[in-house]
Amino acid sequence: MSLFFVAEGEAKDRFVVVIDAGHGGHDPGAVANRLKEKNINLDIALKLGKKIQQNCSDTKVIYTRSKDVFVTLKGRTEIANKAKADLFISIHTNSAGNTSAKGTETYIYGLEQAGINMEVAKRENSVILLEEDYTTTYQGYDPNSVESFIMFDFQQNKYFEQSIHFASMVQDQFRILAKRPDRSVRQQNLLVLRLSAMPSILVEVGYISNSSDAAFLAKDANRSKLAESIYRAFIAYKDEWNRKKVSEHVDRESTVPTSGTIYKIQLMASKKKLSLQDPCFKGLSPISYYEENGWYKYTYGESPSREALSGKLAQAKRYFKDAYIVSFKGGKKQK
Ligand SMILES: [Zn+2]
């Protein structure tokens, strides 16, 4: 059920954020310590949406649900895709057999490395088993099968950079503002992220299976803090988005070719030539390389401004802790 409708072809001049409260209706999500996940998710979603509406006149907020109703995973992403949303934020609450697990996690779409458990993906994707015709809707997708993970292609890959960037800002705020234990940004094959055609994250605001997290989540003031954390990350993300839009515009208008220095982020060196799509680059794009003293040296991103690369550098350092900025002039690396 779509609560909002955007006519196709309608000009979109505002930033559109879709806020997705996980579960709802006959699907309570995780249940523990007298709490139901669906209620926590909805409360934080509405608090976040309200904050954005009050403070950002340039943003349109769309909820996948604004009350206690069931919405299919596909229905949720259809709302976002139809609205041509710029950002998708799915809000969930975690649960684990190990009741000592606590803290917040933020997920982006990706195929997790072998060996990492698929608990969250299995649980969040298994919601489709509650949908009447899931076998036809999801073309044989079985949330419990590993093979099903591979069937899905990497559509979300092109939003990987923006998604991971926003996800890490949200985790930072959860840690700094809401003082939650930081369980970091993770990648999993989450259907609700996989099917959405825009930068997308799924936050797990805490473990209701853990008594201290549950006590925290039960308090209205604390749920406000979590909403405020996501809100602050959202503001930072949207500011960058606005600046990028302006600079893209300037780029298009500019007819003078840049002959100055170009900066890139050096990630690693290898004796062997690698494909630029090699998984060792963790989905970072664009990757390029140059040769030096018999080594292939791989770089990420490029800009005529060193400062403009600082966000990308921070992102690269998550995977390549020794990443640093190198400069080129006339195609030659500068010493
Ligand atoms: Zn959930």
Side-chain angles (χ1 to χ4, degrees):
M1 180 193 60
S2 170
L3 301 171
F4 292 87
F5 177 73
V6 176
E8 264 179 55
E10 183 184 315
K12 187 166 81 65
D13 53 357
R14 291 199 290 172
F15 188 97
V16 176
V17 59
V18 169
I19 303 176
D20 175 49
H23 311 276
H26 67 271
D27 168 24
V31 178
N33 288 310
R34 280 171 288 142
L35 296 173
K36 283 184 182 155
E37 177 186 352
K38 65 174 184 179
N39 299 329
I40 297 171
N41 300 345
L42 180 60
D43 187 55
I44 294 173
L46 295 176
K47 284 177 155 73
L48 169 63
K50 200 172 156 197
K51 269 211 97 74
I52 296 173
Q53 279 165 334
Q54 281 169 348
N55 298 299
C56 312
S57 58
D58 61 345
T59 300
K60 181 176 179 178
V61 174
I62 296 175
Y63 298 105
T64 55
R65 68 179 180 99
S66 55
K67 47 186 195 278
D68 187 14
V69 292
F70 182 75
V71 186
T72 65
L73 288 186
K74 200 170 177 224
R76 293 167 193 267
T77 53
E78 270 170 7
I79 290 170
N81 293 344
K82 250 185 211 153
K84 296 188 167 54
D86 299 293
L87 190 61
F88 182 82
I89 306 172
S90 188
I91 299 173
H92 286 255
T93 310
N94 226 330
S95 170
N98 170 10
T99 55
S100 63
K102 61 177 179 179
T104 64
E105 292 156 18
T106 298
Y107 287 88
I108 59 165
Y109 177 80
L111 295 183
E112 66 276 52
Q113 274 91 33
I116 295 177
N117 79 62
M118 308 187 305
E119 229 179 292
V120 169
K122 275 188 185 172
R123 199 185 58 251
E124 301 297 10
N125 290 343
S126 70
V127 168
I128 65 172
L129 299 174
L130 300 172
E131 298 174 17
E132 278 167 22
D133 54 353
Y134 83 90
T135 46
T136 49
T137 312
Y138 301 100
Q139 299 149 13
Y141 180 90
D142 172 0
N144 294 311
S145 124
V146 178
E147 288 71 38
S148 282
F149 279 45
I150 296 153
M151 277 167 43
F152 284 83
D153 67 21
F154 242 43
Q155 188 198 282
Q156 260 291 314
N157 210 25
K158 62 181 162 200
Y159 306 111
F160 182 87
E161 273 183 51
Q162 290 141 293
S163 300
I164 197 167
H165 181 50
F166 180 52
S168 55
M169 291 197 288
V170 170
Q171 275 303 118
D172 287 347
Q173 291 298 329
F174 280 156
R175 187 182 65 249
I176 297 161
L177 184 80
K179 308 265 187 292
R180 308 316 297 147
D182 184 352
R183 295 173 58 94
S184 78
V185 175
R186 300 167 181 220
Q187 288 182 62
Q188 280 210 343
N189 184 338
L190 294 166
L191 269 177
V192 75
L193 301 181
R194 157 67 185 87
L195 299 171
S196 59
M198 75 257 352
S200 304
I201 67 163
L202 183 147
V203 300
E204 296 277 359
V205 294
Y207 281 80
I208 58 171
S209 47
N210 174 269
S211 54
S212 72
D213 266 13
F216 182 89
L217 292 166
K219 290 207 181 78
D220 185 75
N222 291 335
R223 294 193 300 273
S224 294
K225 259 185 223 166
L226 292 165
E228 174 77 22
S229 302
I230 306 170
Y231 170 74
R232 290 195 186 182
F234 170 79
I235 292 298
Y237 180 87
K238 193 170 65 62
D239 280 352
E240 288 175 12
W241 185 87
N242 286 340
R243 277 202 299 274
K244 215 171 128 200
K245 235 179 131 182
V246 170
S247 75
E248 270 168 14
H249 186 66
V250 170
D251 283 352
R252 271 201 304 276
E253 306 246 302
S254 154
T255 52
V256 185
T258 52
S259 58
T261 305
I262 291 290
Y263 297 92
K264 299 182 179 197
I265 297 159
Q266 184 155 325
L267 303 174
M268 57 181 270
S270 164
K271 283 279 180 195
K272 207 178 89 190
K273 195 169 176 182
L274 301 168
S275 154
L276 300 183
Q277 276 82 44
D278 194 285
C280 75
F281 297 120
K282 309 292 182 192
L284 297 173
S285 167
I287 297 289
S288 57
Y289 74 94
Y290 65 96
E291 291 178 58
E292 193 176 55
N293 306 327
W295 289 84
Y296 294 97
K297 300 195 170 175
Y298 292 88
T299 61
Y300 161 51
E302 68 168 72
S303 171
S305 147
R306 178 181 274 270
E307 290 69 43
L309 282 178
S310 62
K312 276 194 158 73
L313 179 64
Q315 192 188 346
K317 277 179 180 285
R318 299 183 80 92
Y319 301 109
F320 302 92
K321 66 177 172 46
D322 301 321
Y324 62 99
I325 291 178
V326 288
S327 61
F328 296 84
K329 199 162 186 173
K332 284 251 183 266
K333 192 184 148 223
Q334 306 288 98
K335 293 288 168 207

